[in-house]
């Protein structure tokens, strides 16, 4: 599995959930994850699953990347990552390669390997996409200009969309090829929807920064809003900054939180455990946190990222249209508006009818591809002998 993660943990979290579901279905399987996340391996260890850390990248803007930690030029870091990827796949010779989000890899680092795998024929290739990538016209234009649409069509046996068409019709929006299947929303584990929670003033508020790279403005505003409330009106609060938040900013938030009696954590292995004891989640509009909250029946106030991608804005608009979350725009993100959120009745959570079993459904599809590939290889070996 390949997940390039540069600004957050989302791609790695989805692949990790699918990997766990796959080894549960196939106890003898081995899953090796190629990860670029600067935080390294931040999820629990599971037998059958291991990680290879690619040198980190940082995203400079739309389609522009640079070395994240190493003091190397962009082309040097690209060659280094490409060499690691090629070395792993040449030695492992996997039955299946699952690529998340970037069809050709970051800066095209996977394309040559995908073409080699296509010629050799021993590895099935699958592309996994979250439901909303960016504005559809922008994605289709970019894919046409870069040749990505040809990579998707010619170099992948299967495309999986991690979403529910009721929420967003990704296949139509992005004109995805015939080999595309939707498999439902991927969450960290199979979650039973929580009970509909009655409107009331929140007693325990959870604030999540996702990966944390650009979450400080939200967390700063929440702490300021909390500080401005009279003590009798303050709810209990837990803040999870995210492991990628700048160390100095994380330290500043920790000092302020400690003086106010706010529980602050850099990272938790299972955010759903925190959601289970919260009356309200305040977070950005990333795929994972939002969907896990929906699966838990946890009310959400979400603040979409301004850019450079329109993904979070589109997700927020769909959540609002379906009545699944309350939206607070970044332009109106102030201690005053957040103080109202902390003291007014929480938004009503309607029953969630979206398909949330994406990890299990994706694992089922991957298992079928792996077993078909194994049967094919056995037939070839039998014919040769």
């Amino acid at each position: 599995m390949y997940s390039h993660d540069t600004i957050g943990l989302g791609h790695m979290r989805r692949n990790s959930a699918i990997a766990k579901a796959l080894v549960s279905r196939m106890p003898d399987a081995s899953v090796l994850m190629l990860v670029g996340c600067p935080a390294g391996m931040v999820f629990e260890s599971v037998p059958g699953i291991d990680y290879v850390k690619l040198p980190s990248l940082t995203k400079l803007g739309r389609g522009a990347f640079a070395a994240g930690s190493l003091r190397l030029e962009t082309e040097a870091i690209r060659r280094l990552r490409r060499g690691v990827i090629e070395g792993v796949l040449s030695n492992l010779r996997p039955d299946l390669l699952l690529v998340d989000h970037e069809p050709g890899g970051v800066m095209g680092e996977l394309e040559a390997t995908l073409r080699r795998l296509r010629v050799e024929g021993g590895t099935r290739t699958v592309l996994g996409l979250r439901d909303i990538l960016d504005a559809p016209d922008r994605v289709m234009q970019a894919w046409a200009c870069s040749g990505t649409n040809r990579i998707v069509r010619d170099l992948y046996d299967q495309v999986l969309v991690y979403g529910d068409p009721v929420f967003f019709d990704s296949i139509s929006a992005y004109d995805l090829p015939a080999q595309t299947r939707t498999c439902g929303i991927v969450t960290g584990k199979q979650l039973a929807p929580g009970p509909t929670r009655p409107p009331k003033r929140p007693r325990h508020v959870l604030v999540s920064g996702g990966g944390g790279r650009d979450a400080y403005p939200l967390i700063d505003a929440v702490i300021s809003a909390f500080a401005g409330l009279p003590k009798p009106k303050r709810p209990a609060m837990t803040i999870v900054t995210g492991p990628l938040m700048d160390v100095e900013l994380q330290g500043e938030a920790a000092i302020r939180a400690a003086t106010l009696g706010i529980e602050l954590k850099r990272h938790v292995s299972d955010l759903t455990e925190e959601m289970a004891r919260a009356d309200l989640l305040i977070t950005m509009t990333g795929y994972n946190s939002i969907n896990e909250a929906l699966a838990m029946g946890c009310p959400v106030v979400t603040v979409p990222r301004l850019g450079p991608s329109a993904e979070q804005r589109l997700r927020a608009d769909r959540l609002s249209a379906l009545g699944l979350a309350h939206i607070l725009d970044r332009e109106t993100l102030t201690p005053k508006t957040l103080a109202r959120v902390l003291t007014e009745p929480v938004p009503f959570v309607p029953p969630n009818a979206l398909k949330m079993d994406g990890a299990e459904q994706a694992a089922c599809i991957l298992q079928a591809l792996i077993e078909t590939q194994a049967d094919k290889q056995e037939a070839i070996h039998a014919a040769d002998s």
Side-chain angles (χ1 to χ4, degrees), residues 222-243:
V222 170
I223 294 175
S224 297
F226 187 93
L229 292 176
K231 288 187 178 181
K233 289 191 174 183
R234 292 175 180 174
M237 180 176 286
T238 300
I239 295 176
V240 182
T241 63

Side-chain angles (χ1 to χ4, degrees), residues 361-375:
Q361 292 302 317
C364 180
I365 294 169
L366 298 182
Q367 180 182 9
L369 288 170
I370 291 168
E371 290 174 347
T372 300
Q373 183 68 12
D375 291 344

Side-chain angles (χ1 to χ4, degrees), residues 158-343:
Q158 188 86 65
V159 179
L160 302 182
V161 173
Y162 305 139
D164 185 334
V166 172
F167 183 77
F168 189 82
D169 187 357
S170 311
I171 295 177
S172 296
Y174 302 116
D175 193 25
L176 295 173
Q179 68 266 35
T180 304
R181 295 176 63 179
T182 58
C183 55
I185 293 165
V186 174
T187 56
K189 54 186 176 182
Q190 289 293 321
L191 301 167
T196 300
R197 309 187 188 194
K200 60 182 179 181
R201 194 175 78 181
R203 291 172 299 198
H204 189 159
V205 176
L206 172 64
V207 183
S208 169
R213 180 66 63 82
D214 58 349
Y216 185 78
L218 171 61
I219 289 170
D220 172 54
V222 170
I223 294 175
S224 297
F226 187 93
L229 292 176
K231 288 187 178 181
K233 289 191 174 183
R234 292 175 180 174
M237 180 176 286
T238 300
I239 295 176
V240 182
T241 63
L244 304 183
M245 180 172 285
D246 177 86
V247 174
E248 291 185 4
L249 293 177
Q250 201 271 346
E252 181 180 332
I255 292 170
R256 294 171 63 198
T259 62
L260 295 166
I262 297 172
E263 180 183 32
L264 187 139
K265 302 178 180 181
R266 178 174 175 268
H267 175 68
V268 294
S269 59
D270 188 355
L271 193 64
T272 60
E273 292 182 1
E274 302 291 337
M275 291 179 188
R277 61 191 184 99
D279 300 308
L280 177 68
L281 170 67
I282 301 175
T283 187
M284 295 169 67
T285 323
Y287 179 101
N288 293 285
S289 297
I290 289 291
N291 285 320
E292 286 171 355
L294 292 179
M296 294 291 292
C298 181
V300 180
V301 171
T302 185
V303 182
R305 179 182 291 141
L306 290 176
S309 166
E311 182 247 332
Q312 292 204 4
R313 180 73 260 173
L314 290 172
R315 189 175 305 283
D317 289 344
R318 289 300 297 147
L319 290 166
S320 181
L322 295 173
L324 297 175
H326 177 73
I327 312 304
L328 186 61
D329 290 325
R330 186 64 67 98
E331 296 88 345
T332 60
L333 181 65
T334 65
K336 184 177 180 180
T337 56
L338 282 168
R340 288 199 296 269
V341 169
L342 297 177
T343 55

Side-chain angles (χ1 to χ4, degrees), residues 93 95 120 122 373-385:
R93 302 180 65 83
D95 298 299
E120 294 176 353
Q373 183 68 12
D375 291 344
K376 178 181 177 182
Q377 293 301 310
E378 287 180 8
I380 291 173
H381 292 319
D384 290 343
S385 61

